[in-house]
Amino acid sequence: IWLLEKLRKDKLWEITATIKENFIEIAKNSLSNEKIPFTCIQDSTQHYVLHIYSSSQRQSEIIKIILTNCQAKYIVHQEEVRL
């Protein structure tokens, strides 16, 4: 299984996170510093929704650390796009 994980190609993942207002600047700055693409939307409460895109396992690990430090709630989707 370990060998299969190492040989598996990275795929595009979308992480959708909800972050409270007092952590949003930390999250945005951290993602920008790591050059991780994201979009940010403010919802009707004092929360923000981030759509974060990860194309490698290394980026996914960094994103998880950032979101954990910002007390975010998140879900992960694998993107399968065919044009």
Side-chain angles (χ1 to χ4, degrees), residues 31-83:
L31 292 168
S32 294
N33 290 342
E34 295 291 336
K35 296 181 176 44
I36 297 173
F38 69 93
T39 59
C40 181
I41 303 168
Q42 184 176 9
D43 68 6
S44 59
T45 63
Q46 292 183 347
H47 290 84
Y48 288 80
V49 178
L50 290 176
H51 294 278
I52 308 164
Y53 303 95
S54 172
S55 58
S56 70
Q57 293 177 15
R58 182 183 174 284
Q59 276 188 339
S60 296
E61 291 170 4
I62 293 168
I63 293 166
K64 183 177 179 181
I65 291 168
I66 292 169
L67 295 179
T68 301
N69 290 341
C70 293
Q71 301 175 2
K73 295 180 181 177
Y74 60 92
I75 56 174
V76 180
H77 305 273
Q78 180 182 344
E79 295 297 319
E80 292 188 34
V81 178
R82 292 188 174 98
L83 296 176

Side-chain angles (χ1 to χ4, degrees), residues 10-27:
D10 290 327
K11 298 181 180 182
L12 179 63
W13 297 87
E14 178 189 24
I15 298 99
T16 304
T18 304
I19 299 179
K20 293 181 182 177
E21 185 175 28
N22 52 333
F23 288 108
I24 191 63
E25 288 305 317
I26 296 168

